């Protein structure tokens, strides 16, 4: 029997997809006025500034909550996902139509899942693999429509490589997803924005009008900043491959916007590719995972309420109905319920 997911992680992932998907066609409108490197820098700077202010207002400090051995994962995520990937995406957008570019971004979910399965040993099954194959088929069809020109190929390859970098970023970010999502996304945005803008200055690029800059910063805050915060929360609850599957709905949002509001023409191949991708996404959205599993003893820290997985004692006073953050230990337990490969369910499967 097919059942649809219903969880905090699902809502976070789909909302992240909505925000990021909507940002792509609007960023595309700026590619004629701003160089790809500078545009990538402004988008991430908008994310960093907006989330930095959010954290200061919320927490009155900029503490990360990261452990010493987790900083390396964040640095790697910033390099691949915050510096290399957005530059490649903006280069791709200058050579590719916005609707096609939006659907090509579905490759990110496929590559994210492959990295999660092969290198990080996250569980998968035939249903998820079949859905990924349909998404890949749609992406290949979409790329083949660009064979008539070298520029079309360059655009498709640039976007596909950006997806590869984001896939690496997603898997590295999963390693620290139990930490403060606002700090993770904000620091990535601020550092990536400063580096990309510095590169733009180094090669002699000049800033556009302030109205264009402000527009780019706003797109970055919503489409890259708030979206990434929600994406990190989804990683915490769903795991990497499942979050990537939900996030793969983002390109459909972008494609719908450019078709409806910007009147970009489409072709029969475009709709066939969209159908393949849509079926693949639907298969992922309806995946259900339930079996007897064992939780090993675990010590970590994250924002939580007391539920079936959090029945520990405290050495401080607390409101039993209020979520809170502190280091806590999980004792070994075996039980059965519907679950995802979240921060509490990274067990092996037969």
């Amino acid at each position: 029997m097919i059942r649809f997911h219903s969880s905090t992680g699902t809502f976070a992932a789909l909302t992240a997809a909505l925000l990021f998907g909507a940002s792509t066609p609007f960023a595309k409108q700026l590619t004629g006025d701003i160089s790809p490197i500078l545009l990538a820098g402004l988008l991430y700077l908008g994310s960093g500034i907006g989330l930095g202010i959010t954290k200061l207002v919320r927490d009155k400090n900029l503490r990360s909550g990261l452990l010493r051995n987790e900083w390396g994962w964040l640095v790697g995520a910033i390099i691949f996902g915050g510096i290399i990937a957005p530059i490649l995406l903006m280069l791709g957008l200058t050579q590719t139509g916005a609707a096609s570019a939006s659907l090509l971004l579905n490759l990110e979910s496929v590559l994210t899942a492959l990295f999660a399965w092969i290198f990080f040993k996250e569980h998968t099954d035939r249903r998820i693999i079949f859905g990924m194959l349909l998404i890949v088929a749609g992406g290949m069809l979409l790329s083949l429509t660009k064979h008539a020109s070298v520029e079309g190929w360059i655009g498709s390859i640039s976007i596909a490589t950006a997806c590869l970098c984001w896939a690496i970023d997603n898997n590295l970010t999963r390693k620290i997803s139990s930490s403060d999502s606002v700090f993770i996304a904000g620091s990535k945005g601020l550092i990536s924005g400063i580096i990309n803008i510095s590169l733009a200055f180094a090669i002699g690029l000049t800033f556009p009008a302030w109205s264009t800059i402000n527009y780019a910063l706003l797109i970055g805050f919503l489409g890259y900043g708030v979206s990434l915060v929600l994406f990190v929360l989804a990683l915490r609850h769903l795991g990497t491959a499942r979050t990537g599957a939900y996030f793969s709905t983002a390109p459909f949002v972008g494609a719908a916007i450019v078709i409806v509001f910007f009147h970009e023409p489409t072709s029969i191949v475009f709709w066939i590719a969209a159908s393949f991708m849509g079926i693949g996404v639907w298969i992922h959205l309806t995946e259900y995972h339930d079996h007897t599993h064992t939780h090993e003893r675990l010590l970590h820290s994250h924002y939580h309420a007391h539920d079936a997985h959090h029945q520990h004692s405290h050495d401080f006073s607390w409101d039993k109905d209020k979520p809170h953050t502190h280091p806590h230990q999980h004792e070994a337990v075996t039980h059965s319920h519907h679950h995802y490969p979240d921060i509490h369910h990274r067990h092996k499967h037969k």
Side-chain angles (χ1 to χ4, degrees), residues 110-176:
V110 178
L111 296 171
T112 293
L114 289 176
F115 271 92
W117 300 333
I118 296 172
F119 297 105
F120 293 89
K121 308 303 179 184
E122 186 172 300
H123 172 69
T124 186
D125 55 33
R126 294 178 181 176
R127 181 183 180 85
I128 295 297
I129 292 175
F130 181 61
M132 285 297 180
L133 289 176
L134 287 174
I135 295 174
V136 170
M140 291 177 63
L141 275 177
L142 212 55
S143 297
L144 289 175
T145 64
K146 301 294 177 181
H147 72 280
S149 67
V150 174
E151 290 79 8
W153 277 110
I154 291 175
S156 295
I157 292 173
S158 294
I159 293 173
T161 308
C163 291
L164 174 63
C165 291
W166 269 317
I168 297 173
D169 167 25
N170 293 339
N171 280 278
L172 296 179
T173 301
R174 183 202 184 216
K175 302 291 287 186
I176 55 175

Side-chain angles (χ1 to χ4, degrees), residues 2 5 12 132 151 314:
I2 292 176
H5 298 316
M132 285 297 180
E151 290 79 8
H314 297 76

Side-chain angles (χ1 to χ4, degrees), residues 199-213:
L199 287 174
F201 272 122
I203 62 177
L205 298 176
T206 57
F207 270 85
W210 276 107
S211 58
T212 303
I213 292 174

Side-chain angles (χ1 to χ4, degrees), residues 140-302:
M140 291 177 63
L141 275 177
L142 212 55
S143 297
L144 289 175
T145 64
K146 301 294 177 181
H147 72 280
S149 67
V150 174
E151 290 79 8
W153 277 110
I154 291 175
S156 295
I157 292 173
S158 294
I159 293 173
T161 308
C163 291
L164 174 63
C165 291
W166 269 317
I168 297 173
D169 167 25
N170 293 339
N171 280 278
L172 296 179
T173 301
R174 183 202 184 216
K175 302 291 287 186
I176 55 175
S177 60
S178 62
S179 298
D180 186 349
S181 59
V182 175
F183 177 85
I184 293 171
S187 59
K188 181 185 293 186
L190 189 62
I191 295 172
S192 302
I194 291 173
I195 290 176
N196 285 326
I197 290 174
S198 298
L199 287 174
F201 272 122
I203 62 177
L205 298 176
T206 57
F207 270 85
W210 276 107
S211 58
T212 303
I213 292 174
N214 291 332
Y215 184 53
L217 292 175
L218 178 61
I219 294 174
F221 172 59
L222 296 174
Y224 286 69
V226 178
S227 175
L228 182 55
V229 169
L230 294 169
F231 187 87
V232 173
L233 290 175
L235 285 174
R236 182 185 304 173
H237 290 281
L238 301 176
T240 312
R242 273 75 175 175
T243 297
Y246 280 99
F247 196 71
S248 62
T249 59
F252 293 98
V253 176
I257 288 175
V258 296
I259 292 170
V260 174
F261 295 101
F262 299 115
H263 308 293
E264 183 171 303
T266 60
S267 66
I268 185 63
V269 175
F270 173 89
W271 289 111
I272 293 174
S275 298
F276 280 178
M277 290 180 169
I279 295 171
V281 170
W282 180 81
I283 288 174
H284 287 166
L285 295 177
T286 55
E287 180 254 349
Y288 193 81
H289 187 67
D290 186 349
H291 66 96
T292 300
H293 55 277
T294 299
H295 294 267
E296 301 296 338
R297 193 173 185 182
L298 174 67
L299 175 65
H300 63 178
S301 177
H302 64 92

